[in-house]
Amino acid sequence: MRACYPGSFDPVTLGHLDIIERAAPLCSHLTVAVIHNPSKKTLFSLAEREEILRQQLAHLDNVSVAHFTGLLVDYVAQNDIRAVVRGLRDSSDAPIELQMARLNREMQPACETLFLAATGKYSHVSSSFVREIARLGGPIGQLVTPEVARRLQQKLESKEAL
Ligand code: ADP
């Protein structure tokens, strides 16, 4: 079964990587699909987010990285994808995730949403907290890989120089 894991990945965290590593063996192919929403401001550009993901996922044979604009259900239909993988951190993720899953299934009945429960030690990790802690000079070594931490520092320094 071909599946995709959509998200902003601004930047990819250890929580995302955990979901990807656990989902990959369950599918024939997993596409990590970066959401490109030109009206939403991100710290890393689309090209940077994709590049970082490719580097972080190079060890996984059946995982690729792509991006999409517009509706996820259209992307799914165009790419013969049968399942959307999402991670659930806690009960506050549930209402919006369930709403999206139900809306997507109404629009595209052939595609199911599969939820993986976040691993306990990553259930508090989010890209927005990682960006905020990094911006304030706090430690992010438990939240992202060393390479992502390096990229974040570089990005924040380049922004300060502006
Ligand atoms: P969004 O753009 O919808 O905020 P993200 O890029 O943050 O999505 O995350 C994509 C998916 O990964 C979502 O299903 C989200 O719930 C899940 N996710 C995010 N962080 C974690 C984590 N620490 N552990 C497990 N799943 C997570």
Side-chain angles (χ1 to χ4, degrees), residues 20-37:
I20 296 165
E21 284 178 353
R22 289 163 56 203
L26 307 176
C27 5
S28 58
H29 188 85
L30 180 69
T31 306
V32 178
V34 183
I35 299 164
H36 180 44
N37 180 353

Side-chain angles (χ1 to χ4, degrees), residues 5-20 22 33 35 40 49 84-90 93-94 96-97 100 113-128 131 143:
Y5 178 44
S8 307
F9 307 110
D10 186 33
V12 65
T13 68
L14 292 180
H16 294 132
L17 293 173
D18 181 58
I19 295 287
I20 296 165
R22 289 163 56 203
I35 299 164
K40 197 176 154 196
R49 285 178 284 151
V84 172
V85 173
R86 297 288 286 178
L88 277 185
R89 279 165 289 195
D90 55 29
D93 269 348
I96 182 79
E97 288 292 341
M100 280 195 299
T113 300
L114 305 177
F115 294 111
L116 293 188
T119 296
K121 64 181 172 181
Y122 300 131
S123 62
H124 59 294
V125 181
S126 72
S127 296
S128 56
R131 291 195 304 273
L143 312 176

